[in-house]
Amino acid sequence: MNLFVPPGGKTKNWYVRVYVPAELLDFYKKSDFKQSTRTTDRVLAEARAAAFVLEKSREFLSKRELLKGYTTEQTQTVVLDASLIQKIAHIRLASLVRFDDEERSLIDEPEQWDEHDELIELSLDDLKKLIARRKSAPGYERFVETVIEFAHMMGYDIDKQDPMLAEFIDAMVKVEKRAYELMQRRSQGEFADLAEGESGPWLGELLLGWEKEHAPTDPKTRSSYTSRIKNFIEFTNDKLVVAVEKKDVWDWLNKLLRVDKLAEKTITDGYLPALRSLFDYAVLSGKFGIKQSPALGIQAPKLDKVEAAARKKPRETFNSIYIREIFASVWYSGRNQPVGKLRTETVLAGNARYWVPLIACCQGLRAEEVCQLTLVDVGMQSGVFSIHITVESGRVKNEDSQRWVPVHKVLLDLGFAEYVESQRKKQQVPEAADMFVELGPGKRYVRPKKAGALFPELHTKFERKSNTLLQRFNDFLREDLAFESGYTFHSFRHYWEDAVRKTVASDSRSGHPWPKGMVERISGRSQAHLEKVEGSSAAYGGELPPSLMKPYLDQISFANVVWPKPWAEFERS
């Protein structure tokens, strides 16, 4: 803690200064924080200063925790020339004036305005002495350290023996005086601001131009690019466009990979192309003072084998205790009952909230297989109520994933057929009998044109219908139910497969083994390994009717599971 009274005698209040730790300089873009204690009493000033120091120390500790394991490239020593000096001076001038903008927006007491204006006058007095006395001025060495530190934060390490250091210091004194004169004129009630060419443009202004003239026309791509560019702007604290370096891009990509723990593919295919698009526009438009994109030639960083292995998240399997807790939770309290943080979100107020986890649990279906279902994918098939997984409804994992599967008796007992029928009436989709054709020699399934979503609330702008529900459900597991890391929606499929293995083993011991490939047919797993062992007969010579699968599926029991209240009660709640 550094407690001081500003020199010059224009204020006698004590001020406190807290220095930013060296490893955090790149994030704060400033070397210290200063604040008035608003008192001339030394004891009271020390107490207020201690509170400020405690607040900043906690902030620094939090930031350090975030940066564990995050390393950046070392700043390179540069050789000063006229162009580089002009660039750093330009950044310094704009930064000082912008900082004054922020300070003025935060001041709300008359005494603070007086102190703000006094500090401007004191700074101008010091700068005039620097101009008049040069190295003999009392604050010269401190000023040199300040501007060299500023250049370092901008990514330029300046050697104090550089032959053009004097020219650099003169330029920095000049722009500081210009900045404080503008601040003083503002304090005197003038509309004083930087002249054209002095003030930027900033990255935020570049983003606005990009959105108007260069952003992708596809709404989804445009939205994702915009959010990723904003992430970069926030990371750089909205730098001047001319101040952005390759190091900024590289450090940002490293942060995404090692701090935010994003996947390499997400960074390579999403974040980096967005930034390249932004700076390509800056270069092509000629409006933003750069001739080469700082993202040019940069490839996304990669994890080494050790890091990649440590990054892989284990996928845990639900047991009956976890399943019971989910079905007894507020998630199943009723369609109109609030749940989670986003209490008004459509997906949490609809029927998908009730049925999607249950279907995954009882059928072993993948999340997207359930969420993309349409009304023509559900109905009577070969005499039993069934679900059709097909590429015509959306994504499937592989060819074996396309299949008809019977509906488990638990779902029918909870009212699944009644729910489907209610949606048919609401969306005016024809009855099941009019849509399905029995499988058999010479016959095939003809998909009707009018489909209708089984869960309309999931059919949003996202290509994957499961995106929003999965995010909310996984958040609910962690934040509301306090499940450990590794438990996600996909844990339902692991739970179902465990239940299948136990059932198959039990049936085999009792003398009723399951036919080879039956499990794979129901679950949609690849059967290539069966074909190698059993020959082509393992694949049953084509589609297996749901009527033959139904007895085996219904044998799968879920020991000790207490199911939620039937859908009709959930719908009324």
Side-chain angles (χ1 to χ4, degrees), residues 83-103:
S83 175
L84 183 56
I85 290 173
Q86 183 183 22
K87 183 175 183 177
I88 298 173
H90 180 103
I91 298 168
R92 179 69 172 171
L93 173 61
S95 298
L96 287 168
V97 175
R98 196 174 202 207
F99 180 71
D100 184 60
D101 290 337
E102 294 170 355
E103 288 279 290

Side-chain angles (χ1 to χ4, degrees), residues 350-396:
N351 288 294
R353 168 178 158 186
Y354 181 89
W355 285 115
V356 173
L358 277 167
I359 294 172
C361 180
C362 295
Q363 301 284 153
L365 298 186
R366 302 173 181 92
E368 189 66 13
E369 289 177 343
V370 180
C371 295
Q372 70 193 13
L373 286 172
T374 69
L375 292 171
V376 303
D377 297 319
V378 187
M380 297 302 294
Q381 181 68 19
S382 69
V384 298
F385 204 79
S386 306
I387 293 173
H388 192 200
I389 309 302
T390 172
V391 293
E392 293 178 285
S393 294
R395 295 171 178 262
V396 295

Side-chain angles (χ1 to χ4, degrees), residues 317-318 323 361 491-499 558 561:
T317 302
F318 287 144
I323 295 290
C361 180
S491 299
F492 279 122
R493 185 164 169 85
H494 291 307
Y495 170 73
W496 182 85
E497 289 174 333
D498 275 358
F558 305 96
V561 170

